[in-house]
Amino acid sequence: MVELLAPAGNFISLRAVLENGADAVYFGLDDYNMRANAKNFSLDELKEVSKIAKDYGAKTYLCTNTILNERLACSLDNNLEDISSSEIDGLILSDIGLIENTVSSGLEAHISVQQNVSNSYMLKTLKKLGAKRAILSRELSLREITGLAKKSPIETEVFVHGAICMAISGRCFLSYGLYGRSANCGDCLQPCRKNWTLTYEDGEDKVINFSDVDEESFIIAPSDDGSYRTNFFSPKDMCMIEYIPELMKSGVTSFKLEGRARSPDYGAMVTGIYRQAIDNYNDNPLDYKVKDEWMEELKSVFNRGFDTNFYFNTPFEVSEDNQSKYIKKDMGQVVNYYNKVKAAELRIWDDLKIGDKIIIQGKTTGSITHIIDSIQVEGKPVVSVKKGSNVAIAIPTKVRENDFVYKLVERNADD
């Protein structure tokens, strides 16, 4: 049975992906992981993370995947006993020098994609060192992945959905060169995602396609100053939802979803869709069909457009910022939930009406998406209500006091 591995950037995201079917979760610890700008978890919070995951029967993997200097390596080594005592299952390591100490502490050693594991010789060496799993390089094709996974002496893991870095296995110096903030130490400011200006030294006012493939092109827009603007450093997001059968047959142990720095509703949606796809294939592999609504729902949350990365060819399309259909607007907070009547009282600071789609998020609640079908004000049913009120809405799933409420607003073309 393949493992569905989902990201958790905070406690709300943790609950959201577990509620939506994650078999395992991965998350960061301050100082040691590649998402320094995510909220992450403290050493003292790991026991709570482990307990929550175990309640769902899920495994827990802690990311320690930055380039470790001597100070950080020693610090991580000194904390291995405390990490192990929290009952976390394993560490995702970018530094193979810590495999032995990690395993000696009773933790699984999973080797990060930062190691760019691309061949069977590396897999055999990692086995000798004591590693249990390797996250295979993102630059491998599906054919190469299948060949490695089927004869690997250890477990293998691949990314199947989420953001893709412009650099090989994420090892990039662009952020450090421009801002002094190192991507390799988890502090990337993502200058690759910005809109760059493109100029030509010869002064010719035209765009040249240097590719041998006719349909390959950069997204280039002319500017008032005569230059061109482009996102050519920013690839589209990976999406493999249409190729679950091929992935399932590859022999890979774990399908990984990227997104620790993204919102809880993103984690909930993506995890839920891939859970459905995997379960549908397992239930009836011969008659498996991709549902059109899966792709539509994936497009409804943050994305830069979708591609299949290196699975089938060299990716060439570049992104144009967020292409989701909706904007998530902060609009209220839960005051109370009434179990007997399955209703929540909300304090709202934006207008609300029947048919609106909202998201409610909280540490225990996770992330719930709900379409408003009933509103009451002072016990009387209404069709809509203006901001600044307390309202009651019917909602079958329990929410909690102080949970955050967001309204999904359809994005305009200019947003």
Side-chain angles (χ1 to χ4, degrees):
M1 184 71 71
V2 71
E3 173 188 271
L4 179 60
L5 176 55
N10 54 45
F11 278 108
I12 299 176
S13 294
L14 175 67
R15 186 78 65 170
V17 298
L18 290 170
E19 283 284 344
N20 282 275
D23 298 308
V25 292
Y26 68 103
F27 43 89
L29 190 65
D30 296 336
D31 293 334
Y32 306 123
N33 80 94
M34 292 298 287
R35 291 295 182 272
N37 296 320
K39 188 176 185 302
N40 296 310
F41 298 94
S42 69
L43 195 60
D44 293 336
E45 291 174 325
L46 292 187
K47 286 186 178 180
E48 185 176 1
V49 172
S50 179
K51 181 181 182 304
I52 292 171
K54 286 187 187 324
D55 288 342
Y56 290 84
K59 299 195 75 173
T60 46
Y61 309 132
L62 175 62
C63 294
T64 59
N65 57 344
T66 60
I67 292 178
L68 300 176
N69 59 24
E70 182 68 10
R71 178 186 65 82
L72 288 175
C74 291
S75 174
L76 177 57
D77 191 27
N78 292 334
N79 284 324
L80 286 177
E81 186 177 341
D82 289 335
I83 294 171
S84 180
S85 67
S86 70
E87 299 186 5
I88 294 298
D89 291 297
L91 294 190
I92 300 174
L93 295 166
S94 63
D95 197 318
I96 63 175
L98 285 166
I99 293 177
E100 183 179 0
N101 289 5
T102 296
V103 175
S104 297
S105 299
L107 296 160
E108 297 177 8
H110 295 196
I111 306 307
S112 169
V113 72
Q114 296 291 112
Q115 270 291 326
N116 195 222
V117 177
S118 304
N119 59 67
S120 61
Y121 297 96
M122 174 62 93
L123 290 166
K124 291 173 184 176
T125 299
L126 292 175
K127 169 70 172 178
K128 292 177 183 177
L129 292 174
K132 183 171 183 179
R133 178 184 297 182
I135 297 94
L136 299 179
S137 169
R138 293 188 184 192
E139 289 73 41
L140 296 174
S141 68
L142 181 60
R143 179 181 57 80
E144 291 172 314
I145 288 169
T146 301
L148 290 176
K150 289 188 179 299
K151 62 182 180 182
S152 175
I154 61 175
E155 295 178 356
T156 53
E157 177 180 306
V158 294
F159 282 91
V160 298
H161 194 94
I164 296 299
C165 182
M166 59 172 278
I168 294 177
S169 292
R171 292 180 289 189
C172 179
F173 287 92
L174 189 60
S175 179
Y176 185 79
L178 291 173
Y179 309 117
R181 303 278 290 272
S182 176
N184 302 295
C185 293
D187 200 18
C188 184
L189 292 184
Q190 296 191 322
C192 59
R193 305 297 186 186
K194 295 183 182 298
N195 203 339
W196 288 74
T197 299
L198 181 66
T199 58
Y200 296 94
E201 291 183 2
D202 60 11
E204 292 185 16
D205 189 21
K206 62 182 180 180
V207 176
I208 303 171
N209 181 5
F210 294 102
S211 172
D212 293 330
V213 182
D214 291 338
E215 65 267 24
E216 291 190 9
S217 61
F218 292 126
I219 300 170
I220 298 178
S223 301
D224 294 336
D225 61 4
S227 65
Y228 294 88
R229 299 193 183 280
T230 175
N231 294 82
F232 56 74
F233 286 135
S234 181
K236 288 188 174 184
D237 288 357
M238 180 195 297
C239 179
M240 290 295 290
I241 193 65
E242 296 177 297
Y243 302 97
I244 291 297
E246 292 87 343
L247 288 168
M248 295 289 284
K249 295 172 185 176
S250 70
V252 167
T253 308
S254 180
F255 296 169
K256 189 171 194 172
L257 310 174
E258 188 276 339
R260 278 188 293 134
R262 295 192 179 181
S263 63
D265 46 290
Y266 173 91
M269 173 67 75
V270 175
T271 304
I273 295 299
Y274 277 85
R275 177 78 278 155
Q276 289 181 55
I278 292 169
D279 289 349
N280 283 11
Y281 179 83
N282 283 329
D283 290 344
N284 196 350
L286 295 179
D287 292 328
Y288 176 83
K289 290 184 177 63
V290 178
K291 295 184 178 180
D292 293 338
E293 57 263 34
W294 289 345
M295 185 62 78
E296 288 304 308
E297 290 183 30
L298 290 172
K299 289 178 180 178
S300 73
V301 292
F302 184 97
N303 71 88
R304 300 183 181 94
F306 294 129
D307 197 357
T308 55
N309 198 35
F310 287 91
Y311 275 100
F312 300 108
N313 53 30
T314 302
F316 59 85
E317 295 189 39
V318 296
S319 70
E320 291 185 281
D321 302 320
N322 183 14
Q323 296 184 28
S324 67
K325 295 183 177 181
Y326 299 96
I327 297 171
K328 191 173 69 173
K329 188 176 183 181
D330 179 16
M331 61 87 59
Q333 196 167 26
V334 175
V335 177
N336 205 346
Y337 184 77
Y338 303 96
N339 285 297
K340 289 185 178 180
V341 294
K342 304 294 183 184
E345 181 184 354
L346 310 181
R347 181 183 300 113
I348 60 171
W349 41 83
D350 196 6
D351 300 347
L352 188 68
K353 66 181 184 299
I354 299 292
D356 280 347
K357 183 181 285 189
I358 65 170
I359 294 173
I360 301 179
Q361 295 178 348
K363 179 178 178 180
T364 304
T365 301
S367 182
I368 296 169
T369 301
H370 175 71
I371 297 176
I372 300 293
D373 57 8
S374 173
I375 305 175
Q376 289 190 359
V377 177
E378 296 180 350
K380 297 180 180 179
V382 296
V383 175
S384 63
V385 61
K386 295 292 184 182
K387 62 183 178 181
S389 305
N390 276 31
V391 303
I393 64 166
I395 179 168
T397 306
K398 183 177 181 178
V399 294
R400 282 116 184 134
E401 182 181 358
N402 295 325
D403 281 355
F404 304 105
V405 183
Y406 305 92
K407 181 166 63 175
L408 289 176
V409 181
E410 194 163 352
R411 180 186 295 275
N412 295 322
D414 296 330
D415 286 340

